[in-house]
Amino acid sequence: RKPFCSSGSIITIAIMCADRREFCNGQLLTPEEVRQSEHDGLVLSLDRRLGQTESGEPRVLVLFDGLCRLCQMFCDFAIQRDPSKRIAFAPLQSKLGQKVLQGFNFPKDLDSVVLYRSGEAYIKSEAALNVLGMLDSPWSALSYFSFLPQGLRDFGYEVVAKNRYGLLGHRTSDETGDVALASRLVDTWTPSPDDLLHTCKS
């Protein structure tokens, strides 16, 4: 005897198969809504972790290549001109760095500095110029180069980025004893020879 399957059952099964929603925090959400919920959770977590300056300004986060000496010097340059301690730092390769990259759909081996500020993330020339614009220094005027076409700005950034290890070598901030940078780190990273993120690509 063949099992009976009504048209109503077929329609119900078809609807269930087409329904790609899943439970997230007690709610039935679509994959897009799940990603948005996870993104919003990351932003809330980051903003809480970074906190505010004494004057009430929200802090920002700069992610840098933890092996790049030139990148560390850029961080030190910013620290010396950031008396309000608005800028916090973390290596791209750290757990926090990887979480931010994933949350903003960047590749885990992104070859760029990243600036996180108030729910938005910037990379390459956009990140560098925004950081310069926050400094308490005449150097902040360099941020006006943002009027140049982004493609041109990013080309110049990438030329430097691809040669950064050749310019000043590669060492971690621990190896260089960078006390100023260490005091501003909100997460750290210790490289491992077995970790692909430890491999120099430039």
Side-chain angles (χ1 to χ4, degrees):
R1 183 181 179 182
K2 295 182 179 180
F4 174 74
C5 185
S6 68
S7 59
S9 300
I10 294 175
I11 293 173
T12 301
I13 293 172
I15 292 174
M16 290 176 65
C17 292
D19 190 350
R20 298 167 57 235
R21 293 178 296 174
E22 56 186 278
F23 277 100
C24 180
N25 297 324
Q27 295 179 301
L28 192 59
L29 304 175
T30 65
E32 293 74 17
E33 290 172 332
V34 170
R35 285 192 290 270
Q36 185 61 50
S37 176
E38 291 174 345
H39 177 82
D40 292 344
L42 172 64
V43 167
L44 182 61
S45 173
L46 280 172
D47 289 344
R48 285 178 176 172
R49 184 166 183 172
L50 294 171
Q52 298 179 332
T53 65
E54 291 182 357
S55 62
E57 285 185 294
R59 286 194 171 94
V60 305
L61 175 65
V62 170
L63 301 177
F64 64 96
D65 180 355
L67 280 174
C68 171
R69 189 69 192 110
L70 180 62
C71 307
Q72 293 161 23
M73 291 179 67
F74 175 76
C75 294
D76 285 328
F77 178 86
I79 288 170
Q80 293 168 11
R81 293 158 181 82
D82 178 35
S84 64
K85 299 182 179 180
R86 186 183 177 193
I87 307 173
F89 300 86
L92 283 160
Q93 299 94 331
S94 66
K95 288 183 178 179
L96 178 61
Q98 290 295 296
K99 186 180 294 185
V100 173
L101 294 182
Q102 181 180 3
F104 285 90
N105 297 317
F106 295 133
K108 67 178 183 179
D109 59 348
L110 179 69
D111 208 15
S112 169
V113 65
V114 178
L115 169 66
Y116 168 82
R117 180 175 63 188
S118 301
E120 300 289 337
Y122 308 88
I123 62 173
K124 298 186 178 180
S125 65
E126 197 74 12
L129 291 175
N130 270 282
V131 171
L132 290 172
M134 290 186 286
L135 302 183
D136 184 16
S137 164
W139 287 97
S140 63
L142 291 176
S143 64
Y144 290 111
F145 278 105
S146 59
F147 80 89
L148 293 173
Q150 185 172 353
L152 179 62
R153 289 187 275 116
D154 283 348
F155 174 77
Y157 179 93
E158 289 166 2
V159 168
V160 176
K162 289 178 180 179
N163 294 281
R164 64 190 185 277
Y165 292 126
L167 291 171
L168 291 171
H170 50 87
R171 299 179 70 185
T172 66
S173 56
D174 287 341
E175 291 173 323
T176 59
D178 195 331
V179 178
L181 179 55
S183 67
R184 294 283 193 97
L185 292 177
V186 290
D187 200 2
T188 59
W189 170 71
T190 302
S192 167
D194 299 325
D195 190 345
L196 291 177
L197 293 177
H198 177 241
T199 305
C200 300
K201 299 182 300 178
S202 301

